[in-house]
Amino acid sequence: MPSISNLHVDTLLTNVSVMYQNDDAGYAADEVFPEIPVDKQSDKYPIYGQENFRADDDLRAPGGESDEMRWSLSTDQYYCDGHAKSMVIPDEWRENEDAVLDVDVDTTTMLTDQIFLRREVDAYNQVSAGLTGVDLAGSKWDNDANDPIKVVDAAKETIRKATGMKANRLLLPEPVYRGIRNNALVKARISGAPTFDASLITQQQLATVFGVEKVVLASAVYATSKEGQTQTNDYIWGKNAMLFYKPPSPGKRAVSLGYRMTWNKGRLGALVYRFRLDSRHSDKIEVMRYYAQKIVAAGAGVCWNNVIA
């Protein structure tokens, strides 16, 4: 009887392949740092004072002069660093690739994922450096004795007093999201929820309960182990949480926790490059982005560290 190995020679399937990557919906950077296209790699932007919060006397007597107000203006600056990843594709790879593979597309996809992953890590680092996180100590949100809604409501007051705006985004890493869904005090606020599985509670239901427009689910993971070691992944945003204000549309005279200034002009408009390396008998693909993620109004956000056990 012939062996299976003589009847069939293993080849790569043409309709399936496996690539590990984060779901695009798991990235939170676009919510925390709305994009602002800029014309120059570096520049300044104006910051108005808080004179609009002063309820000065505006009484005017007949024939008298109206009270004259003064407003202040300061500036801050940004610099869009270049972020790039590249990979060399030898001619031998191209000549030997099977139908299921497309080395150009696969390489571009992986390089772009690397750029987006690093941008998410940078977003977390910017928040960590720009906001002082509150440690809840013994008041973890996955403990039924603690009410996270009251904590978030108090933070809304802090943001309102600092900016005049109503906080409209609650960022929850996936472990925190699961912990909150199982909190008995949170479930009690959702019609019917105390009697069914917490996994059926949606982001929109939580947004309604917490009184925000959107619950931002930050589920992206990254490798915490060094290259060459056994792969270990963890959530970029950890077990933290953040309440913040995001404007309906970023632009002039608007408060926002942060912005991502993106420079994409002229020769740099094509941010995926492919060029020939004749001496190496190879092609090189490079993906590049220029951006600066910056906290511009720290009062528009409140964050908490290690909110679950």
Side-chain angles (χ1 to χ4, degrees):
M1 178 179 293
S3 68
I4 293 177
S5 61
N6 291 330
L7 296 174
H8 172 71
V9 178
D10 289 345
T11 61
L12 287 176
L13 295 175
T14 60
N15 60 350
V16 65
S17 62
V18 177
M19 180 183 290
Y20 294 98
Q21 59 188 143
N22 277 298
D23 181 353
D24 289 345
Y27 288 126
D30 286 338
E31 288 287 341
V32 181
F33 296 95
E35 185 176 38
I36 296 283
V38 294
D39 293 329
K40 301 296 182 182
Q41 186 174 13
S42 64
D43 225 327
K44 294 182 178 181
Y45 57 90
I47 301 174
Y48 292 88
Q50 298 196 30
E51 287 80 11
N52 280 344
F53 291 144
R54 296 191 62 84
D56 292 334
D57 185 13
D58 62 355
L59 186 64
R60 176 184 176 276
E65 296 285 347
S66 60
D67 182 65
E68 293 183 0
M69 73 168 290
R70 298 177 178 84
W71 54 275
S72 59
L73 189 68
S74 61
T75 62
D76 202 346
Q77 60 186 26
Y78 69 87
Y79 181 84
C80 295
D81 287 311
H83 302 265
K85 298 287 289 185
S86 63
M87 185 172 177
V88 171
I89 302 176
D91 291 344
E92 291 85 351
W93 287 13
R94 203 178 298 285
E95 293 300 324
N96 284 289
E97 68 176 329
D98 288 296
V100 68
L101 302 175
D102 186 326
V103 292
D104 285 347
V105 173
D106 291 345
T107 299
T108 302
T109 298
M110 287 187 283
L111 294 175
T112 302
D113 283 348
Q114 284 276 298
I115 296 289
F116 286 171
L117 180 66
R118 185 60 216 182
R119 191 179 74 183
E120 187 77 3
V121 172
D122 178 74
Y124 170 75
N125 290 339
Q126 291 297 325
V127 168
S128 297
L131 300 181
T132 301
V134 178
D135 196 334
L136 295 179
S139 303
K140 303 299 185 183
W141 290 356
D142 53 353
N143 185 328
D144 290 344
N146 301 318
D147 190 349
I149 297 174
K150 290 183 178 180
V151 178
V152 171
D153 281 347
K156 288 179 187 177
E157 292 296 314
T158 300
I159 292 174
R160 174 75 84 175
K161 291 177 180 179
T163 67
M165 297 295 169
K166 178 184 178 182
N168 57 7
R169 295 288 190 276
L170 180 62
L171 183 149
L172 302 175
E174 194 161 325
V176 177
Y177 174 64
R178 290 195 299 266
I180 286 179
R181 287 196 309 184
N182 284 281
N183 181 293
L185 296 176
V186 172
K187 290 178 67 177
R189 304 282 190 100
I190 300 174
S191 178
T195 61
F196 63 71
D197 193 328
S199 65
L200 300 177
I201 299 174
T202 66
Q203 287 175 243
Q204 187 52 55
Q205 286 176 313
L206 279 186
T208 300
V209 166
F210 280 94
V212 295
E213 293 176 9
K214 184 176 182 178
V215 166
V216 179
L217 186 59
S219 58
V221 300
Y222 74 127
T224 57
S225 55
K226 295 182 179 180
E227 189 172 0
Q229 296 179 341
T230 301
Q231 184 83 10
T232 303
N233 297 336
D234 203 355
Y235 292 96
I236 293 173
W237 291 84
K239 296 180 179 180
N240 307 320
M242 180 171 66
L243 180 73
F244 64 102
Y245 174 73
K246 177 187 178 184
S249 58
K252 296 179 179 178
R253 305 176 188 89
V255 171
S256 178
L257 172 63
Y259 283 127
R260 180 172 67 251
M261 292 75 168
T262 302
W263 184 46
N264 181 11
K265 290 290 183 179
R267 293 179 60 245
L268 298 172
L271 298 181
V272 177
Y273 302 90
R274 174 180 164 181
F275 46 92
R276 183 67 184 167
L277 301 175
D278 285 328
S279 64
R280 298 177 65 179
H281 306 286
S282 304
D283 294 327
K284 188 171 188 177
I285 293 180
E286 182 178 61
V287 175
M288 183 182 300
R289 296 289 189 276
Y290 285 88
Y291 64 82
Q293 294 185 134
K294 188 176 178 68
I295 298 289
V296 298
V302 173
C303 65
W304 301 271
N305 298 329
N306 300 311
V307 299
I308 61 173

